[in-house]
Amino acid sequence: MTVRSDLSSAHVYSRTATTSLSTMLGKYAWQGLRRFASKTWEHTRERKKPAGAGGRILTDVREVFEFNAWDHVQWDEEQELAAQAAVAKNSCSKLNDDERERFQSDAPKFWDSFYGIHDNRFFKDRHWLFTEFPELAPIDVSEQQSRSIFELGCGVGNTILPLLQYSVEPKLKVFGCDFSARAIDILRSQPQFDEKRCEVFVMDATEEQWPVPFEENSQDIIVMIFVLSACQPKKMQQILDNCYRYLRPGGLLLFRDYGRYDLAQLRFKSGKCLEDNFYVRGDGTLVYFFTEEELRGMFTKAGLQEEQVIVDRRLQVNRSRGLKMYRVWIQAKFKKPLVPTS
């Protein structure tokens, strides 16, 4: 009964109760309990923080649920074969020609519908953006230097808005385009949007001629983040050829997209495949899953030079449900040569 009374008093921070607890547990036991609670809280906080620069490597499988994500996860042969079998199963039945044509020709309508449903709730600040692509917001740019950045498939501003918010360049001009008129309207309505520094417009990037408000050979950087995968595979090369046209000599194309056997690909059911590795989601939007080799081939064919190609295999975990989710993304940087290659 004495302990129950002391604990009740401790709830309202009674000095008497604290003394009683200290007596009960012993001075050193009480201090140890406080250190343990502090350590546990710090561990929880650290577990929820992003790894940063891809530096969290799983070396002991018993610790897999200690953090939310692990970088550079290696697949064994069994896992690779299981992924191949899942893709073979979900792509054995293809949509017919009429269905493929409908989803491909109506892509802007499906994206309008997507953004109409999600509105600006779809906006996510990409915390990894400047870590993976520091070229977007360098800290040592001269005040006299002007730069121009163009994002294909800008959506509601997941890249553009952080760029406008964090860039310290006084002469930075940002352009963006998207399939979806709805997405462009949402982007323009955001408080971070600055029409003096940024111009966005609706454009279908699969068109042969781009109706853009800038000249050829003018863009310092072109950004494509989870965009090329939404386009028909047969039109991808044309898109990259146009990127080459509008990049200035020495300019960079920054790229990130879905890799082959990503969890999203393995989850597709049969009847959702348009062609090999190209699927339609439940909302009508399309997605393709790349290999490192085919991306390198398309970029090189466009005349661009490889600076970086990384296959980012990451393990994400849901601790409460005990789930392990294997993600695969491909990140690349390609440069337009100063002198055209023959």
Side-chain angles (χ1 to χ4, degrees), residues 8-263:
S8 298
S9 301
H11 187 64
V12 293
Y13 306 101
S14 165
R15 181 185 298 273
T16 302
T18 302
T19 303
S20 178
L21 281 170
S22 297
T23 302
M24 260 193 330
L25 297 173
K27 178 180 179 181
Y28 297 106
W30 180 249
Q31 291 176 347
L33 197 62
R34 291 179 62 187
R35 284 197 298 270
F36 175 78
S38 175
K39 183 178 180 181
T40 300
W41 182 84
E42 285 294 333
H43 177 71
T44 300
R45 185 172 70 91
E46 178 65 21
R47 177 182 59 78
K48 294 182 177 180
K49 289 169 62 179
R56 184 175 292 145
I57 309 298
L58 179 63
T59 57
D60 187 342
V61 294
R62 294 172 298 181
E63 298 179 349
V64 66
F65 292 109
E66 288 296 306
F67 292 92
N68 292 343
W70 300 92
D71 301 301
H72 308 303
V73 176
Q74 298 300 314
W75 289 23
D76 57 29
E77 183 180 2
E78 182 180 355
Q79 189 173 5
E80 191 84 21
L81 290 173
Q84 293 173 7
V87 170
K89 182 178 180 180
N90 69 27
S91 60
C92 62
S93 177
K94 305 287 198 301
L95 297 179
N96 62 45
D97 291 343
D98 290 340
E99 290 175 315
R100 286 201 298 269
E101 176 59 29
R102 180 172 71 88
F103 285 117
Q104 292 169 352
S105 62
D106 290 345
K109 295 179 182 179
F110 287 116
W111 281 108
D112 271 343
S113 177
F114 172 86
Y115 287 114
I117 293 171
H118 294 279
D119 200 20
N120 62 357
R121 290 172 295 177
F122 186 72
F123 173 76
K124 297 178 181 179
D125 189 344
R126 291 170 170 156
H127 300 290
W128 51 266
L129 189 64
F130 302 116
T131 300
E132 301 297 337
F133 299 129
E135 300 88 351
L136 288 173
I139 59 176
D140 57 350
V141 175
S142 167
E143 292 186 2
Q144 304 302 317
Q145 182 178 350
S146 61
R147 291 206 312 157
S148 185
I149 297 176
F150 176 40
E151 183 180 18
L152 279 172
C154 62
V156 295
N158 292 12
T159 296
I160 285 180
L161 294 180
L163 184 56
L164 293 175
Q165 183 175 0
Y166 298 121
S167 173
V168 296
E169 298 175 72
K171 294 187 177 182
L172 175 67
K173 180 69 174 183
V174 181
F175 297 94
C177 74
D178 200 90
F179 265 156
S180 169
R182 176 61 177 158
I184 294 299
D185 289 341
I186 294 172
L187 173 52
R188 286 175 176 154
S189 70
Q190 299 305 303
Q192 306 99 312
F193 185 77
D194 182 354
E195 62 181 10
K196 294 180 180 179
R197 304 172 66 204
C198 183
E199 183 176 348
V200 293
F201 49 93
V202 178
M203 188 185 82
D204 181 352
T206 65
E207 294 178 1
E208 187 173 346
Q209 299 295 325
W210 286 356
V212 293
F214 45 78
E215 301 296 324
E216 294 183 14
N217 301 301
S218 65
Q219 299 303 297
D220 294 277
I221 293 177
I222 292 180
V223 181
M224 299 181 69
I225 298 179
F226 298 106
V227 173
L228 196 62
S229 58
C231 304
Q232 291 178 252
K234 69 179 183 181
K235 295 185 177 181
M236 291 177 181
Q237 188 63 57
Q238 177 65 54
I239 294 172
L240 296 177
D241 291 345
N242 276 331
C243 287
Y244 178 90
R245 287 175 57 197
Y246 287 98
L247 276 174
R248 67 164 178 80
L252 277 176
L253 196 157
L254 306 180
F255 177 92
R256 188 173 175 88
D257 220 319
Y258 297 102
R260 189 71 47 85
Y261 306 137
D262 177 61
L263 175 68

Side-chain angles (χ1 to χ4, degrees), residues 255-312:
F255 177 92
R256 188 173 175 88
D257 220 319
Y258 297 102
R260 189 71 47 85
Y261 306 137
D262 177 61
L263 175 68
Q265 181 177 18
L266 305 186
R267 280 181 168 175
F268 275 105
K269 304 298 183 183
S270 181
K272 294 293 185 180
C273 187
L274 285 79
E275 53 185 280
D276 288 348
N277 305 302
F278 191 42
Y279 301 81
V280 58
R281 300 185 182 96
D283 58 10
T285 60
L286 307 177
V287 60
Y288 186 85
F289 298 88
F290 297 96
T291 66
E292 178 182 359
E293 292 75 17
E294 64 186 343
L295 279 172
R296 182 178 283 114
M298 287 191 293
F299 279 90
T300 302
K301 185 177 180 180
L304 298 164
Q305 295 177 341
E306 179 179 336
E307 296 284 304
Q308 177 194 76
V309 177
I310 296 173
V311 179
D312 183 2

